[in-house]
mmCIF file of all heavy atoms in Angstrom:
data_model
loop_
_atom_site.group_PDB
_atom_site.id
_atom_site.type_symbol
_atom_site.label_atom_id
_atom_site.label_comp_id
_atom_site.label_asym_id
_atom_site.label_seq_id
_atom_site.Cartn_x
_atom_site.Cartn_y
_atom_site.Cartn_z
ATOM 1 N N THR A 1423 3.652 -52.967 -68.169
ATOM 2 C CA THR A 1423 4.454 -51.870 -68.835
ATOM 3 C C THR A 1423 3.593 -50.708 -69.059
ATOM 4 O O THR A 1423 2.647 -50.771 -69.899
ATOM 5 C CB THR A 1423 5.157 -52.343 -70.079
ATOM 6 O OG1 THR A 1423 6.036 -53.413 -69.712
ATOM 7 C CG2 THR A 1423 6.060 -51.240 -70.603
ATOM 8 N N ALA A 1424 3.918 -49.598 -68.454
ATOM 9 C CA ALA A 1424 3.191 -48.365 -68.657
ATOM 10 C C ALA A 1424 3.856 -47.518 -69.802
ATOM 11 O O ALA A 1424 4.966 -47.731 -70.152
ATOM 12 C CB ALA A 1424 3.215 -47.442 -67.463
ATOM 13 N N VAL A 1425 3.072 -46.695 -70.462
ATOM 14 C CA VAL A 1425 3.527 -45.802 -71.484
ATOM 15 C C VAL A 1425 3.585 -44.405 -70.982
ATOM 16 O O VAL A 1425 2.541 -43.862 -70.616
ATOM 17 C CB VAL A 1425 2.702 -45.887 -72.710
ATOM 18 C CG1 VAL A 1425 3.228 -44.938 -73.812
ATOM 19 C CG2 VAL A 1425 2.717 -47.317 -73.385
ATOM 20 N N VAL A 1426 4.775 -43.804 -70.797
ATOM 21 C CA VAL A 1426 4.958 -42.489 -70.333
ATOM 22 C C VAL A 1426 5.019 -41.493 -71.469
ATOM 23 O O VAL A 1426 5.863 -41.755 -72.407
ATOM 24 C CB VAL A 1426 6.184 -42.426 -69.428
ATOM 25 C CG1 VAL A 1426 6.426 -40.982 -68.930
ATOM 26 C CG2 VAL A 1426 6.047 -43.424 -68.261
ATOM 27 N N SER A 1427 4.220 -40.480 -71.450
ATOM 28 C CA SER A 1427 4.210 -39.455 -72.466
ATOM 29 C C SER A 1427 4.886 -38.218 -72.042
ATOM 30 O O SER A 1427 4.472 -37.655 -71.032
ATOM 31 C CB SER A 1427 2.747 -39.185 -72.910
ATOM 32 O OG SER A 1427 2.750 -38.158 -73.900
ATOM 33 N N LEU A 1428 5.996 -37.814 -72.689
ATOM 34 C CA LEU A 1428 6.771 -36.612 -72.345
ATOM 35 C C LEU A 1428 6.392 -35.533 -73.369
ATOM 36 O O LEU A 1428 6.573 -35.726 -74.577
ATOM 37 C CB LEU A 1428 8.284 -36.901 -72.405
ATOM 38 C CG LEU A 1428 8.865 -38.086 -71.590
ATOM 39 C CD1 LEU A 1428 10.239 -38.353 -71.972
ATOM 40 C CD2 LEU A 1428 8.602 -37.797 -70.090
ATOM 41 N N ARG A 1429 5.943 -34.416 -72.834
ATOM 42 C CA ARG A 1429 5.565 -33.378 -73.630
ATOM 43 C C ARG A 1429 6.717 -32.244 -73.624
ATOM 44 O O ARG A 1429 6.977 -31.669 -72.573
ATOM 45 C CB ARG A 1429 4.280 -32.699 -73.169
ATOM 46 C CG ARG A 1429 3.782 -31.455 -74.003
ATOM 47 C CD ARG A 1429 3.395 -31.902 -75.373
ATOM 48 N NE ARG A 1429 3.206 -30.660 -76.223
ATOM 49 C CZ ARG A 1429 2.866 -30.729 -77.526
ATOM 50 N NH1 ARG A 1429 2.639 -31.898 -78.096
ATOM 51 N NH2 ARG A 1429 2.611 -29.656 -78.235
ATOM 52 N N PHE A 1430 7.326 -32.023 -74.755
ATOM 53 C CA PHE A 1430 8.403 -31.034 -74.891
ATOM 54 C C PHE A 1430 7.972 -29.820 -75.631
ATOM 55 O O PHE A 1430 7.311 -29.966 -76.618
ATOM 56 C CB PHE A 1430 9.606 -31.725 -75.605
ATOM 57 C CG PHE A 1430 10.314 -32.696 -74.814
ATOM 58 C CD1 PHE A 1430 10.036 -34.053 -75.028
ATOM 59 C CD2 PHE A 1430 11.352 -32.342 -73.964
ATOM 60 C CE1 PHE A 1430 10.800 -35.028 -74.304
ATOM 61 C CE2 PHE A 1430 12.052 -33.300 -73.225
ATOM 62 C CZ PHE A 1430 11.741 -34.640 -73.441
ATOM 63 N N GLY A 1431 8.368 -28.643 -75.136
ATOM 64 C CA GLY A 1431 8.226 -27.434 -75.833
ATOM 65 C C GLY A 1431 9.521 -26.983 -76.336
ATOM 66 O O GLY A 1431 10.592 -27.163 -75.789
ATOM 67 N N CYS A 1432 9.446 -26.363 -77.607
ATOM 68 C CA CYS A 1432 10.762 -25.958 -78.328
ATOM 69 C C CYS A 1432 10.904 -24.459 -78.464
ATOM 70 O O CYS A 1432 11.827 -24.033 -79.126
ATOM 71 C CB CYS A 1432 10.730 -26.737 -79.685
ATOM 72 S SG CYS A 1432 10.781 -28.478 -79.480
ATOM 73 N N GLY A 1433 9.994 -23.643 -77.875
ATOM 74 C CA GLY A 1433 10.115 -22.221 -77.973
ATOM 75 C C GLY A 1433 10.010 -21.664 -79.414
ATOM 76 O O GLY A 1433 10.644 -20.620 -79.709
ATOM 77 N N GLY A 1434 9.264 -22.398 -80.287
ATOM 78 C CA GLY A 1434 9.078 -21.903 -81.635
ATOM 79 C C GLY A 1434 10.168 -22.251 -82.599
ATOM 80 O O GLY A 1434 10.108 -21.742 -83.741
ATOM 81 N N THR A 1435 11.151 -23.050 -82.176
ATOM 82 C CA THR A 1435 12.273 -23.391 -83.043
ATOM 83 C C THR A 1435 12.355 -24.844 -83.214
ATOM 84 O O THR A 1435 12.242 -25.597 -82.210
ATOM 85 C CB THR A 1435 13.591 -22.882 -82.463
ATOM 86 O OG1 THR A 1435 13.535 -21.451 -82.272
ATOM 87 C CG2 THR A 1435 14.754 -23.197 -83.429
ATOM 88 N N ALA A 1436 12.467 -25.356 -84.445
ATOM 89 C CA ALA A 1436 12.580 -26.805 -84.653
ATOM 90 C C ALA A 1436 13.880 -27.342 -84.104
ATOM 91 O O ALA A 1436 14.933 -26.654 -84.149
ATOM 92 C CB ALA A 1436 12.501 -27.116 -86.135
ATOM 93 N N ARG A 1437 13.875 -28.553 -83.529
ATOM 94 C CA ARG A 1437 15.049 -29.200 -83.008
ATOM 95 C C ARG A 1437 15.264 -30.570 -83.653
ATOM 96 O O ARG A 1437 14.682 -31.528 -83.306
ATOM 97 C CB ARG A 1437 14.853 -29.410 -81.468
ATOM 98 C CG ARG A 1437 14.317 -28.207 -80.740
ATOM 99 C CD ARG A 1437 15.364 -27.049 -80.616
ATOM 100 N NE ARG A 1437 14.764 -25.932 -79.964
ATOM 101 C CZ ARG A 1437 15.505 -25.087 -79.238
ATOM 102 N NH1 ARG A 1437 16.738 -25.258 -78.994
ATOM 103 N NH2 ARG A 1437 14.905 -24.021 -78.686
ATOM 104 N N PRO A 1438 16.143 -30.585 -84.657
ATOM 105 C CA PRO A 1438 16.311 -31.847 -85.460
ATOM 106 C C PRO A 1438 17.280 -32.836 -84.697
ATOM 107 O O PRO A 1438 18.179 -32.384 -83.899
ATOM 108 C CB PRO A 1438 16.950 -31.407 -86.755
ATOM 109 C CG PRO A 1438 17.681 -30.147 -86.408
ATOM 110 C CD PRO A 1438 16.832 -29.445 -85.298
ATOM 111 N N ARG A 1439 17.005 -34.127 -84.825
ATOM 112 C CA ARG A 1439 17.863 -35.158 -84.416
ATOM 113 C C ARG A 1439 18.137 -35.061 -82.878
ATOM 114 O O ARG A 1439 19.308 -35.132 -82.442
ATOM 115 C CB ARG A 1439 19.144 -35.184 -85.181
ATOM 116 C CG ARG A 1439 18.979 -35.200 -86.699
ATOM 117 C CD ARG A 1439 18.235 -36.482 -87.149
ATOM 118 N NE ARG A 1439 18.961 -37.627 -86.940
ATOM 119 C CZ ARG A 1439 18.492 -38.926 -87.074
ATOM 120 N NH1 ARG A 1439 17.231 -39.066 -87.389
ATOM 121 N NH2 ARG A 1439 19.292 -39.892 -86.800
ATOM 122 N N VAL A 1440 17.064 -34.985 -82.070
ATOM 123 C CA VAL A 1440 17.279 -34.993 -80.664
ATOM 124 C C VAL A 1440 17.107 -36.453 -80.191
ATOM 125 O O VAL A 1440 16.165 -37.102 -80.503
ATOM 126 C CB VAL A 1440 16.181 -34.087 -79.988
ATOM 127 C CG1 VAL A 1440 16.263 -34.193 -78.491
ATOM 128 C CG2 VAL A 1440 16.434 -32.660 -80.440
ATOM 129 N N ARG A 1441 18.028 -36.827 -79.350
ATOM 130 C CA ARG A 1441 18.050 -38.249 -78.879
ATOM 131 C C ARG A 1441 17.571 -38.304 -77.413
ATOM 132 O O ARG A 1441 18.195 -37.538 -76.542
ATOM 133 C CB ARG A 1441 19.464 -38.849 -78.967
ATOM 134 C CG ARG A 1441 19.666 -40.259 -78.518
ATOM 135 C CD ARG A 1441 20.967 -40.705 -78.965
ATOM 136 N NE ARG A 1441 21.365 -42.062 -78.401
ATOM 137 C CZ ARG A 1441 22.211 -42.322 -77.353
ATOM 138 N NH1 ARG A 1441 22.778 -41.217 -76.851
ATOM 139 N NH2 ARG A 1441 22.419 -43.573 -77.019
ATOM 140 N N ILE A 1442 16.581 -39.080 -77.092
ATOM 141 C CA ILE A 1442 16.005 -39.116 -75.767
ATOM 142 C C ILE A 1442 16.157 -40.554 -75.271
ATOM 143 O O ILE A 1442 15.684 -41.511 -75.952
ATOM 144 C CB ILE A 1442 14.495 -38.760 -75.789
ATOM 145 C CG1 ILE A 1442 14.369 -37.340 -76.302
ATOM 146 C CG2 ILE A 1442 13.920 -38.891 -74.314
ATOM 147 C CD1 ILE A 1442 12.925 -36.937 -76.519
ATOM 148 N N VAL A 1443 16.887 -40.704 -74.140
ATOM 149 C CA VAL A 1443 17.230 -42.066 -73.616
ATOM 150 C C VAL A 1443 16.778 -42.216 -72.153
ATOM 151 O O VAL A 1443 16.978 -41.296 -71.382
ATOM 152 C CB VAL A 1443 18.723 -42.327 -73.766
ATOM 153 C CG1 VAL A 1443 19.073 -43.664 -73.292
ATOM 154 C CG2 VAL A 1443 19.176 -42.127 -75.167
ATOM 155 N N ARG A 1444 16.170 -43.290 -71.939
ATOM 156 C CA ARG A 1444 15.839 -43.714 -70.522
ATOM 157 C C ARG A 1444 16.205 -45.170 -70.373
ATOM 158 O O ARG A 1444 15.532 -46.021 -70.885
ATOM 159 C CB ARG A 1444 14.402 -43.537 -70.183
ATOM 160 C CG ARG A 1444 14.144 -43.898 -68.671
ATOM 161 C CD ARG A 1444 12.624 -43.911 -68.360
ATOM 162 N NE ARG A 1444 12.408 -44.352 -66.938
ATOM 163 C CZ ARG A 1444 12.458 -45.609 -66.560
ATOM 164 N NH1 ARG A 1444 12.627 -46.569 -67.475
ATOM 165 N NH2 ARG A 1444 12.242 -45.891 -65.262
ATOM 166 N N GLY A 1445 17.264 -45.462 -69.672
ATOM 167 C CA GLY A 1445 17.784 -46.874 -69.557
ATOM 168 C C GLY A 1445 18.155 -47.457 -70.934
ATOM 169 O O GLY A 1445 18.968 -46.888 -71.664
ATOM 170 N N ALA A 1446 17.498 -48.553 -71.291
ATOM 171 C CA ALA A 1446 17.687 -49.241 -72.573
ATOM 172 C C ALA A 1446 16.788 -48.707 -73.695
ATOM 173 O O ALA A 1446 16.944 -49.076 -74.813
ATOM 174 C CB ALA A 1446 17.525 -50.741 -72.388
ATOM 175 N N ASP A 1447 15.823 -47.819 -73.339
ATOM 176 C CA ASP A 1447 14.865 -47.258 -74.318
ATOM 177 C C ASP A 1447 15.475 -46.060 -74.931
ATOM 178 O O ASP A 1447 15.887 -45.059 -74.201
ATOM 179 C CB ASP A 1447 13.543 -47.019 -73.625
ATOM 180 C CG ASP A 1447 12.985 -48.244 -73.014
ATOM 181 O OD1 ASP A 1447 12.909 -49.317 -73.687
ATOM 182 O OD2 ASP A 1447 12.581 -48.228 -71.865
ATOM 183 N N GLU A 1448 15.372 -45.842 -76.211
ATOM 184 C CA GLU A 1448 15.945 -44.722 -76.918
ATOM 185 C C GLU A 1448 14.963 -44.277 -78.040
ATOM 186 O O GLU A 1448 14.348 -45.090 -78.711
ATOM 187 C CB GLU A 1448 17.218 -45.088 -77.504
ATOM 188 C CG GLU A 1448 17.934 -44.052 -78.338
ATOM 189 C CD GLU A 1448 19.271 -44.513 -78.931
ATOM 190 O OE1 GLU A 1448 19.838 -45.444 -78.359
ATOM 191 O OE2 GLU A 1448 19.699 -43.890 -79.863
ATOM 192 N N ARG A 1449 14.909 -42.957 -78.203
ATOM 193 C CA ARG A 1449 14.119 -42.309 -79.314
ATOM 194 C C ARG A 1449 15.048 -41.282 -79.904
ATOM 195 O O ARG A 1449 15.559 -40.442 -79.104
ATOM 196 C CB ARG A 1449 12.840 -41.775 -78.841
ATOM 197 C CG ARG A 1449 11.847 -42.702 -78.260
ATOM 198 C CD ARG A 1449 11.139 -43.632 -79.251
ATOM 199 N NE ARG A 1449 10.137 -44.478 -78.723
ATOM 200 C CZ ARG A 1449 10.380 -45.569 -78.124
ATOM 201 N NH1 ARG A 1449 11.650 -46.118 -77.976
ATOM 202 N NH2 ARG A 1449 9.349 -46.311 -77.579
ATOM 203 N N ILE A 1450 14.999 -41.251 -81.255
ATOM 204 C CA ILE A 1450 15.686 -40.123 -82.025
ATOM 205 C C ILE A 1450 14.580 -39.421 -82.809
ATOM 206 O O ILE A 1450 14.011 -40.069 -83.668
ATOM 207 C CB ILE A 1450 16.836 -40.611 -82.868
ATOM 208 C CG1 ILE A 1450 17.893 -41.319 -82.072
ATOM 209 C CG2 ILE A 1450 17.376 -39.478 -83.654
ATOM 210 C CD1 ILE A 1450 19.053 -41.796 -82.872
ATOM 211 N N VAL A 1451 14.293 -38.176 -82.495
ATOM 212 C CA VAL A 1451 13.161 -37.512 -82.967
ATOM 213 C C VAL A 1451 13.536 -36.108 -83.499
ATOM 214 O O VAL A 1451 14.541 -35.578 -83.033
ATOM 215 C CB VAL A 1451 11.979 -37.334 -81.952
ATOM 216 C CG1 VAL A 1451 11.478 -38.735 -81.552
ATOM 217 C CG2 VAL A 1451 12.485 -36.613 -80.722
ATOM 218 N N ASP A 1452 12.691 -35.584 -84.398
ATOM 219 C CA ASP A 1452 12.833 -34.173 -84.835
ATOM 220 C C ASP A 1452 11.691 -33.421 -84.238
ATOM 221 O O ASP A 1452 10.500 -33.585 -84.556
ATOM 222 C CB ASP A 1452 12.707 -34.150 -86.359
ATOM 223 C CG ASP A 1452 13.848 -34.814 -87.051
ATOM 224 O OD1 ASP A 1452 14.947 -34.811 -86.500
ATOM 225 O OD2 ASP A 1452 13.634 -35.367 -88.195
ATOM 226 N N LEU A 1453 11.945 -32.620 -83.193
ATOM 227 C CA LEU A 1453 10.971 -31.895 -82.475
ATOM 228 C C LEU A 1453 10.488 -30.701 -83.273
ATOM 229 O O LEU A 1453 11.223 -29.951 -83.814
ATOM 230 C CB LEU A 1453 11.536 -31.411 -81.117
ATOM 231 C CG LEU A 1453 11.975 -32.469 -80.123
ATOM 232 C CD1 LEU A 1453 12.545 -31.884 -78.823
ATOM 233 C CD2 LEU A 1453 10.802 -33.393 -79.823
ATOM 234 N N ALA A 1454 9.181 -30.617 -83.406
ATOM 235 C CA ALA A 1454 8.595 -29.558 -84.139
ATOM 236 C C ALA A 1454 8.676 -28.223 -83.382
ATOM 237 O O ALA A 1454 8.845 -28.154 -82.212
ATOM 238 C CB ALA A 1454 7.045 -29.915 -84.441
ATOM 239 N N PRO A 1455 8.574 -27.037 -84.159
ATOM 240 C CA PRO A 1455 8.645 -25.796 -83.456
ATOM 241 C C PRO A 1455 7.578 -25.630 -82.285
ATOM 242 O O PRO A 1455 7.917 -24.948 -81.349
ATOM 243 C CB PRO A 1455 8.413 -24.838 -84.588
ATOM 244 C CG PRO A 1455 8.851 -25.544 -85.762
ATOM 245 C CD PRO A 1455 8.454 -26.920 -85.608
ATOM 246 N N ALA A 1456 6.409 -26.155 -82.551
ATOM 247 C CA ALA A 1456 5.335 -26.013 -81.513
ATOM 248 C C ALA A 1456 5.511 -27.130 -80.398
ATOM 249 O O ALA A 1456 4.747 -27.045 -79.424
ATOM 250 C CB ALA A 1456 3.968 -26.178 -82.139
ATOM 251 N N GLY A 1457 6.498 -27.979 -80.462
ATOM 252 C CA GLY A 1457 6.702 -28.943 -79.424
ATOM 253 C C GLY A 1457 6.134 -30.343 -79.903
ATOM 254 O O GLY A 1457 5.403 -30.438 -80.898
ATOM 255 N N ASP A 1458 6.473 -31.384 -79.186
ATOM 256 C CA ASP A 1458 6.057 -32.735 -79.525
ATOM 257 C C ASP A 1458 5.884 -33.552 -78.267
ATOM 258 O O ASP A 1458 6.445 -33.237 -77.209
ATOM 259 C CB ASP A 1458 7.073 -33.440 -80.446
ATOM 260 C CG ASP A 1458 6.718 -33.255 -81.945
ATOM 261 O OD1 ASP A 1458 5.564 -33.387 -82.197
ATOM 262 O OD2 ASP A 1458 7.633 -33.045 -82.706
ATOM 263 N N ALA A 1459 5.092 -34.619 -78.399
ATOM 264 C CA ALA A 1459 4.977 -35.597 -77.228
ATOM 265 C C ALA A 1459 5.678 -36.879 -77.596
ATOM 266 O O ALA A 1459 5.433 -37.451 -78.675
ATOM 267 C CB ALA A 1459 3.480 -35.867 -76.973
ATOM 268 N N ILE A 1460 6.585 -37.340 -76.744
ATOM 269 C CA ILE A 1460 7.350 -38.509 -76.956
ATOM 270 C C ILE A 1460 6.889 -39.590 -75.982
ATOM 271 O O ILE A 1460 6.791 -39.303 -74.825
ATOM 272 C CB ILE A 1460 8.875 -38.187 -76.854
ATOM 273 C CG1 ILE A 1460 9.335 -36.986 -77.660
ATOM 274 C CG2 ILE A 1460 9.679 -39.501 -77.247
ATOM 275 C CD1 ILE A 1460 8.945 -37.113 -79.124
ATOM 276 N N GLU A 1461 6.722 -40.814 -76.430
ATOM 277 C CA GLU A 1461 6.248 -41.924 -75.559
ATOM 278 C C GLU A 1461 7.458 -42.885 -75.309
ATOM 279 O O GLU A 1461 8.136 -43.307 -76.245
ATOM 280 C CB GLU A 1461 5.120 -42.696 -76.248
ATOM 281 C CG GLU A 1461 3.859 -41.825 -76.215
ATOM 282 C CD GLU A 1461 2.626 -42.558 -76.814
ATOM 283 O OE1 GLU A 1461 2.894 -43.765 -77.311
ATOM 284 O OE2 GLU A 1461 1.538 -42.104 -76.664
ATOM 285 N N LEU A 1462 7.614 -43.202 -74.056
ATOM 286 C CA LEU A 1462 8.623 -44.177 -73.661
ATOM 287 C C LEU A 1462 7.992 -45.261 -72.740
ATOM 288 O O LEU A 1462 7.114 -44.922 -71.909
ATOM 289 C CB LEU A 1462 9.796 -43.542 -72.948
ATOM 290 C CG LEU A 1462 10.708 -42.588 -73.781
ATOM 291 C CD1 LEU A 1462 11.695 -41.979 -72.876
ATOM 292 C CD2 LEU A 1462 11.434 -43.410 -74.839
ATOM 293 N N PRO A 1463 8.369 -46.533 -72.780
ATOM 294 C CA PRO A 1463 7.824 -47.503 -71.806
ATOM 295 C C PRO A 1463 8.478 -47.381 -70.477
ATOM 296 O O PRO A 1463 9.569 -47.041 -70.325
ATOM 297 C CB PRO A 1463 8.222 -48.868 -72.545
ATOM 298 C CG PRO A 1463 9.414 -48.513 -73.303
ATOM 299 C CD PRO A 1463 9.298 -47.056 -73.794
ATOM 300 N N LEU A 1464 7.619 -47.777 -69.491
ATOM 301 C CA LEU A 1464 8.083 -47.810 -68.077
ATOM 302 C C LEU A 1464 7.534 -49.040 -67.411
ATOM 303 O O LEU A 1464 6.361 -49.249 -67.342
ATOM 304 C CB LEU A 1464 7.592 -46.530 -67.339
ATOM 305 C CG LEU A 1464 7.814 -46.491 -65.872
ATOM 306 C CD1 LEU A 1464 9.244 -46.368 -65.504
ATOM 307 C CD2 LEU A 1464 7.087 -45.311 -65.223
#
């Protein structure tokens, strides 16, 4: 199982309660204004 890191940019605005889903894997995160890296298994 690999760990895939997704790097999101938010354009300087915070994004609360964003849900990221790939298949059965799910993350609910608060993206910071500067962006965040989210890890999902593959």
